[in-house]
């Protein structure tokens, strides 16, 4: 058993949220750089304060701002870094970063793989939904990084017009940790197995209202546990993202071996020659971008495809109806196929809108039922690919005692039941010393992650500095 090691903060998850938090906690603080901001009342608040944003009243700074996040500090920081971004304007950031080693907080970031989190597991050739500049982490332009990488290694750019390939973004995140000198804070290829509250008496004797014990395993290259770790900290930040476990259909036959749950699974069986244009059709379930990527991949390789989804193609909440056609032509092509499948013949593609899977039989027969009437369809498939979203793995938390969601009686769900936090410091409403950032609190886009990390880091930093003074 490894000896318990004290840390001022433990961050669980080494994706964009965890990396951003580490950058701030390592002593990099944001300051207003003096450039004019198009929001006049925000400009006024900024120009009358020489302190770092991390030391200011985030609630006052955020007041009156609107944006595409429900978390006010996420909106605030996005407004500072990407002024008027939602209007399609690329204004300069009004934030500059300054490093002071005296501001560094003793912390560790624990992640299952290399830095970048779930980005390291995605299909690298896929283009990001967000603009390339919206995928950036603090103080490192992805365009400049990409240009430098290309010069050094004689590589082609990973940026496509205003978007980037997923592989480029994943490499950028991993490179960021090294280029910003954060390696010493990262415990990669490690799995957290439990997060438990330390007894109040022990915490009090150490000078804290609450302490948490974080335990887990460090894996070797073969994913075999190599050693254990045990940290004790007054601040634990949940930054695990939303991509750990696939959502299930909960239908008969879902556990059959030919039912898959990721695009990587589809690519693997094609690589192994288990799926070809001569195979029975593959059935793809879902109406999101992952399902669209699967349709694109299957059609590229000539795989006959059946596409089943519950929503109407005209549903305004369908992601395709929110994407500009000139920037996302490949997704609009899939959307057009989804619309036209019953009127226009697309070779090797058949859509079943407003439909669901009733059951999957061992011989590959799938029963499809309409969500609108009693219509039933039957098809024979080689594989079923279920892409209906994912949910976080919170198995390291004590299930019976720890209730984190806005509805505390239900499991945490990033869309329907995010973790209930103080909106201005991202600390759990129910559990002092536990924080949450990123998708766990509804910030699913990287551009909004920095603000949530700023909120949590501000509270943690001020707690640590106050305890030392």
């Amino acid at each position: 058993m490894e000896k318990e090691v004290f840390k001022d903060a433990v961050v669980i998850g080494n994706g964009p949220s965890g990396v951003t938090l580490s950058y701030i906690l390592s002593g990099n603080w944001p300051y207003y750089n003096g450039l004019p901001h198009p929001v006049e009342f925000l400009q006024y608040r900024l120009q009358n304060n020489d302190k770092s944003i991390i030391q200011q009243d985030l609630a006052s700074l955020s007041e009156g701002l609107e944006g595409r996040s429900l978390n006010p500090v996420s909106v605030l920081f996005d407004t500072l870094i990407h002024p008027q971004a939602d209007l399609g304007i690329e204004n300069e950031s009004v934030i500059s970063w300054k490093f002071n080693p005296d501001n560094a907080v003793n912390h560790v970031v624990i992640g299952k793989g290399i830095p970048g989190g779930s980005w390291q597991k995605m299909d690298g050739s896929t283009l990001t939904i967000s603009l390339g500049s919206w995928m950036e982490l603090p103080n490192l332009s992805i365009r400049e990084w990409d240009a430098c990488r290309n010069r050094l290694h004689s590589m082609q750019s990973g940026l496509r017009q205003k978007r980037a390939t997923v592989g480029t973004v994943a490499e950028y995140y991993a490179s960021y940790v090294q280029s910003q000198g954060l390696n010493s804070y990262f415990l990669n290829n490690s799995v957290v197995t439990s997060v438990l509250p330390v007894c109040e008496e022990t915490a009090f004797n150490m000078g804290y209202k609450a302490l948490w014990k974080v335990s887990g395993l460090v894996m070797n290259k073969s994913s075999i546990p190599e050693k254990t770790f045990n940290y004790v900290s007054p601040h634990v930040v949940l930054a695990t993202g939303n991509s750990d476990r696939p959502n299930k259909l909960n239908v008969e036959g879902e556990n059959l071996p030919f039912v898959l749950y990721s695009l990587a699974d589809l690519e693997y069986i094609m690589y192994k020659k288990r799926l070809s244009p001569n195979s029975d059709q593959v059935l793809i379930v879902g109406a999101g971008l992952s399902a669209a990527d699967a349709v694109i991949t299957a059609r590229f390789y000539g795989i006959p495809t059946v596409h089943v989804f519950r929503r109407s193609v005209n549903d305004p909440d369908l992601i395709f109806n929110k994407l500009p056609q000139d920037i996302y032509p490949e997704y609009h092509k899939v959307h057009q196929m989804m619309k036209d499948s019953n009127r226009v013949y697309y070779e090797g593609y058949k859509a079943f809108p407003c439909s669901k899977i009733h059951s999957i039989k061992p011989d590959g027969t799938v029963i499809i039922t309409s969500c609108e009437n009693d219509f039933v369809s039957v098809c024979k498939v080689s594989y079923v690919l279920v892409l209906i979203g994912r949910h976080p793995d919170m198995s390291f938390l004590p299930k019976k005692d720890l209730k984190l969601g806005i509805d505390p009686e239900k499991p945490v769900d990033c869309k329907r039941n995010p973790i209930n936090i103080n909106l201005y410091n991202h600390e759990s409403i129910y559990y002092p010393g536990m924080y949450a950032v990123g998708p766990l609190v509804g910030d699913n886009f990287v551009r909004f992650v920095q603000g949530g990390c700023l909120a949590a880091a501000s509270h943690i930093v001020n707690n640590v500095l106050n305890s030392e003074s």
Side-chain angles (χ1 to χ4, degrees):
M1 178 70 69
E2 292 289 320
K3 182 181 178 181
E4 291 178 358
V5 177
F6 179 85
K7 294 287 182 181
D8 287 319
V10 174
V11 181
I12 302 174
N14 65 356
S17 298
V19 175
T20 299
L21 257 172
S22 183
Y23 182 76
I24 301 173
L25 292 177
S26 62
N28 296 284
W29 285 10
Y31 291 81
Y32 171 53
N33 62 17
L35 291 176
H37 196 283
V39 179
E40 291 184 4
F41 66 81
L42 182 57
Q43 164 81 33
Y44 177 78
R45 294 169 189 168
L46 293 168
Q47 66 189 14
N48 289 303
N49 199 326
D50 294 330
K51 291 182 178 180
S52 168
I53 304 296
I54 209 170
Q55 297 171 295
Q56 297 184 39
D57 184 343
L58 298 178
S60 296
L61 279 178
S62 304
E63 187 177 357
L65 294 173
E66 296 180 352
R68 291 164 57 190
S69 170
L70 297 177
N71 297 311
V73 185
S74 298
V75 173
L76 165 67
F77 213 56
D78 180 66
T79 303
L80 297 175
I81 297 173
H82 306 114
Q84 297 183 307
D86 288 333
L87 299 178
I89 301 172
E90 292 192 41
N91 287 322
E92 282 191 65
S93 168
V94 300
I95 291 296
S96 293
W97 294 87
K98 297 179 182 179
F99 173 67
N100 183 344
D102 293 337
N103 294 332
V105 170
N106 179 22
H107 70 280
V108 63
V109 180
I110 306 168
K112 293 180 179 178
I114 63 174
S118 62
W119 287 88
Q120 303 297 348
K121 303 174 186 176
M122 299 180 192
D123 177 12
S125 63
T126 304
L127 288 174
T128 60
I129 301 306
S130 297
L131 303 183
S133 61
W134 292 358
M135 311 307 297
E136 291 174 351
L137 301 181
N139 208 27
L140 181 62
S141 161
I142 194 169
R143 291 175 184 169
E144 294 176 7
W145 170 85
D146 183 64
C148 179
R149 178 192 65 155
N150 299 340
R151 287 194 302 270
L152 288 174
H153 303 290
S154 300
M155 299 175 66
Q156 283 190 332
S157 173
L159 304 180
R160 303 288 185 270
Q161 295 180 335
K162 293 186 177 182
R163 295 161 69 190
T165 64
V166 167
T168 298
V169 175
E171 188 177 343
Y172 165 80
Y173 291 152
S175 174
Y176 183 93
V177 171
Q178 184 172 0
S179 68
Q180 303 303 312
L182 304 177
N183 276 332
S184 62
Y185 295 109
F186 279 70
L187 185 65
N188 300 319
N189 303 310
S190 300
V191 178
V192 173
T193 55
S194 72
V195 176
L196 296 170
V198 174
C199 74
E200 291 183 7
E201 183 179 354
T202 301
F204 180 79
N205 290 338
M206 293 180 66
Y208 295 97
K209 293 180 180 178
L211 283 173
W212 297 89
K213 180 180 178 181
V214 181
S215 304
L217 303 168
V218 180
M219 304 296 187
N220 63 19
K221 292 181 179 179
S222 301
S223 298
I224 297 172
E226 197 169 52
K227 60 180 180 179
T228 61
F229 61 81
N230 292 283
Y231 295 107
V232 172
S233 178
H235 309 104
V236 171
V237 187
L238 304 178
T240 58
N242 187 37
S243 300
D244 289 311
R245 295 183 173 181
N247 293 336
K248 299 294 186 73
L249 294 169
N250 296 318
V251 300
E252 175 194 336
E254 188 168 18
N255 294 323
L256 290 166
F258 56 86
V259 180
L260 313 175
Y261 292 94
S262 73
L263 183 57
D265 290 339
L266 177 66
E267 292 173 332
Y268 179 77
I269 60 173
M270 289 192 296
Y271 170 74
K272 289 293 187 179
K273 310 294 186 187
R274 297 176 192 166
L275 187 62
S276 72
N278 297 321
S279 304
D280 285 336
Q281 54 203 351
V282 62
L283 189 151
I284 297 169
V285 186
L289 298 177
S290 295
D293 287 334
V295 170
I296 292 168
T297 300
R299 286 185 59 76
F300 179 81
Y301 288 100
I303 310 297
T305 304
V306 174
H307 189 188
V308 178
F309 46 95
R310 286 175 173 265
R311 289 187 172 186
S312 163
V313 290
N314 297 315
D315 186 336
D317 289 330
L318 198 67
I319 185 63
F320 307 104
N321 292 319
K322 300 178 181 181
L323 299 177
Q325 187 167 349
D326 57 334
I327 300 179
Y328 306 97
E330 74 277 27
Y331 291 126
H332 278 274
K333 176 60 178 176
V334 173
H335 190 210
Q336 193 64 47
M337 291 166 57
M338 292 162 66
K339 286 181 175 180
D340 293 343
S341 182
N342 291 324
R343 295 185 290 110
V344 178
Y345 178 69
Y346 290 99
E347 185 176 358
Y349 177 85
K350 171 67 176 175
F352 287 86
C354 302
S355 300
K356 60 184 179 180
I357 304 300
H358 175 271
S359 58
I360 305 167
K361 306 301 181 183
D363 66 352
T365 300
V366 179
I367 312 298
I368 303 168
T369 58
S370 171
C371 298
E372 299 178 320
N373 50 47
D374 296 330
F375 187 77
V376 176
S377 299
V378 179
C379 62
K380 185 75 179 299
V381 304
S382 54
Y383 287 91
V384 176
L385 182 58
V386 181
L387 298 169
I388 55 173
R390 304 181 76 85
H391 61 274
D393 179 5
M394 310 291 282
S395 59
F396 52 81
L397 297 175
K399 286 185 169 57
K400 293 182 180 179
D401 302 320
L402 219 55
K403 299 176 180 179
L404 291 169
I406 290 177
D407 183 341
E409 300 305 319
K410 294 181 179 179
V412 169
D413 182 288
C414 297
K415 289 184 178 180
R416 299 174 184 84
N417 193 36
I419 291 178
N420 198 0
I421 55 169
N422 177 311
L423 293 176
Y424 298 101
N425 61 31
H426 280 235
E427 186 175 28
S428 166
I429 294 295
Y430 306 113
Y431 303 101
M434 181 169 284
Y435 301 76
V437 293
L440 293 176
V441 294
D443 282 336
N444 293 300
F445 293 101
V446 174
R447 63 180 275 204
F448 293 111
V449 158
Q450 292 188 41
C453 293
L454 173 74
S458 174
H459 199 243
I460 293 169
V461 165
N462 288 318
N463 284 348
V464 172
L465 294 181
N466 288 337
S467 68
E468 292 176 350
S469 60

